[in-house]
Amino acid sequence: MQEIQIERTKNPKQKPTDQSKLGFGKIFTDHMYIMPYNKEQGWHDPKIVPYQPITLEPSAMVFHYGQEMFEGLKAYKAADGRVLLFRPDKNIARANRSNDRLCIPEIPEDDFLNALKTLVSVDKDWIPTQPGTSLYIRPFVIATDPFLGVRPSDTYLFIIILSPSGAYYESGLDPVKIWIEDDYVRAVRGGIGEAKTGGNYVASLAAQMKAHDEGYSQVLWLDGVERKYIEEVGAMNIFFKINGKVVTPKLNGSILPGVTRASCIDLCKHWGMEVEERRISVDELVEAARTGALEECWGSGTAAVISPVGTLRYENEVMEIGGGGIGPVSQKLYDTVTGIQTGKVNDEFGWTVEVQ
Ligand code: COI
């Protein structure tokens, strides 16, 4: 494992005083991690430095062909003062799967984990403690070759920044309204849908604006081939409770394999619930909503945690779920996931990793 050189800031920033006004991803801490890659040295010379702008050539490949990978995870401060990361091994493994798909060199897992732990430790006084808040961690890699031909870059930067954040949705735990998109698609099988990369998110913007104009906060995507099967929401995976069973789309190559998704499945099974990972057609969903079989719907994601869905709209069909309130499974998942993350609930699965 490589040693990280640490340069601490001489001008610490003012920390936010009102944690209820943090919002998501708007404020950044005093430090960042940065590690360059080139063909001769591989990943080398990791540093933690004061948070600052980076300088790139206008010709840097990331600006032109979008060769970049990003991740999202969170750090929490437990009541006893311990600093906890939630399943960082899963994010690291997914980052390297994304890297493989995007022709970015893999980052050694021990260097990645050491980077997360060391940076969070340096800026641990920035971790907010009010319920619903956390320190959001954004690792990312960008292609930096100054070159306009289309090929994988030979040089990269791996950077990690930290943002004390509150709820992803302004509505917090209040149920969100979701628009099921039948025109635009996000990803196709064989494409980059299961990689965590900016291209998947820019592909979602036009539909998201359309949904916003109609009063909906997010888009639920259908598959890109038949436009019939449920895939995921832009910033989260999706779950339904239909006739007492928990149902979520099966990972098929165009759906992001979410860490919170995996945790929801593990928890529901642990509680003795039947969980099905399978194809769900939008027609099945509409039918389940019409007959009352659709009992609950929620999204899961690192940023969104567990986000109850109160309304789904598909074409002219508006489906109100659970009377617009938070369903019991969504609430139990939210309480358990955030409880484990913040050290309030016993971590019987060994999901948390302590930062010294
Ligand atoms: C996350 O949940 O961490 C994500 O990366 C979603 C992001 C688009 C906010």
Side-chain angles (χ1 to χ4, degrees):
M1 193 168 64
Q2 308 193 47
E3 199 182 324
I4 304 172
Q5 208 181 307
I6 303 176
E7 182 201 335
R8 286 179 188 267
T9 182
K10 294 192 179 62
N11 302 302
K13 292 188 270 192
Q14 177 87 41
K15 296 188 183 60
T17 44
D18 185 352
Q19 294 188 5
S20 67
K21 298 215 167 67
L22 289 173
F24 175 81
K26 294 198 278 202
I27 299 162
F28 300 96
T29 63
D30 279 325
H31 298 90
M32 63 194 236
Y33 170 95
I34 186 158
M35 175 162 74
Y37 173 95
N38 63 36
K39 281 216 150 159
E40 300 70 44
Q41 294 163 285
W43 291 109
H44 64 282
D45 205 11
K47 287 193 176 86
I48 287 173
V49 293
Y51 181 92
Q52 60 192 275
I54 54 171
T55 304
L56 293 174
E57 299 256 356
S59 54
M61 293 183 81
V62 65
F63 295 134
H64 305 277
Y65 309 120
Q67 197 193 7
E68 75 96 34
M69 174 286 294
F70 78 94
E71 266 300 326
L73 66 162
K74 286 177 172 175
Y76 303 82
K77 202 174 268 173
D80 59 9
R82 283 179 308 143
V83 173
L84 301 172
L85 300 176
F86 184 69
R87 310 190 82 176
D89 51 317
K90 288 241 167 217
N91 292 90
I92 293 170
R94 186 175 64 187
N96 276 332
R97 287 199 305 277
S98 300
N99 282 339
D100 286 345
R101 179 63 183 87
L102 301 163
C103 302
I104 295 171
E106 285 192 13
I107 299 161
E109 292 188 0
D110 54 352
D111 283 320
F112 201 142
L113 185 60
N114 189 36
L116 294 171
K117 285 178 160 178
T118 312
L119 182 62
V120 168
S121 178
V122 166
D123 274 344
K124 62 173 177 285
D125 291 345
W126 283 84
I127 305 175
T129 49
Q130 209 168 286
T133 65
S134 61
L135 186 69
Y136 185 76
I137 306 171
R138 172 52 62 86
F140 61 103
V141 175
I142 50 173
T144 53
D145 273 11
F147 180 58
L148 297 183
V150 179
R151 58 147 173 83
S153 180
D154 288 334
T155 59
Y156 298 88
L157 286 175
F158 173 37
I159 298 175
I160 308 176
I161 54 175
L162 306 174
S163 175
S165 290
Y168 184 70
Y169 296 111
E170 275 171 20
S171 60
L173 240 199
D174 289 342
V176 289
K177 292 173 74 180
I178 303 259
W179 173 272
I180 303 179
E181 175 59 36
D182 61 354
D183 185 14
Y184 295 111
V185 296
R186 170 187 175 274
V188 291
R189 240 151 292 152
I192 53 170
E194 68 178 348
K196 204 146 176 69
T197 184
N200 287 322
Y201 295 80
V202 73
S204 75
L205 295 181
Q208 189 173 310
M209 285 174 70
K210 180 171 137 190
H212 279 176
D213 288 347
E214 298 284 343
Y216 289 76
S217 54
Q218 285 276 315
V219 172
L220 176 57
W221 298 102
L222 298 179
D223 75 278
V225 180
E226 295 177 70
R227 300 187 190 199
K228 186 170 163 188
Y229 295 100
I230 305 288
E231 297 235 308
E232 65 169 269
V233 179
M236 51 191 197
N237 295 111
I238 192 87
F239 283 84
F240 306 99
K241 185 159 164 263
I242 302 175
N243 276 331
K245 286 185 197 162
V246 172
V247 188
T248 191
K250 187 180 164 70
L251 299 180
N252 60 0
S254 54
I255 296 176
L256 188 87
V259 177
T260 316
R261 174 187 181 278
S263 309
C264 286
I265 293 172
D266 290 348
L267 284 170
C268 288
K269 285 186 178 165
H270 181 69
W271 295 330
M273 302 185 75
E274 219 176 305
V275 181
E276 291 180 347
E277 291 179 72
R278 62 169 171 85
R279 295 217 290 188
I280 310 158
S281 72
V282 66
D283 294 341
E284 173 187 345
L285 197 65
V286 169
E287 187 56 22
R290 283 187 185 153
T291 60
L294 178 58
E295 296 157 18
E296 263 185 70
C297 177
W298 66 90
S300 68
T302 296
V305 196
I306 304 295
S307 179
V309 176
T311 309
L312 286 168
R313 174 163 168 186
Y314 177 61
E315 295 176 340
N316 289 325
E317 186 92 18
V318 178
M319 301 169 254
E320 302 288 354
I321 307 156
I326 303 171
V329 181
S330 319
Q331 185 72 58
K332 190 171 174 187
L333 281 169
Y334 179 83
D335 292 343
T336 310
V337 171
T338 57
I340 293 174
Q341 289 171 333
T342 54
K344 260 188 266 157
V345 168
N346 177 36
D347 176 15
E348 55 185 308
F349 306 97
W351 283 344
T352 50
V353 170
E354 195 174 337
V355 170
Q356 298 301 332

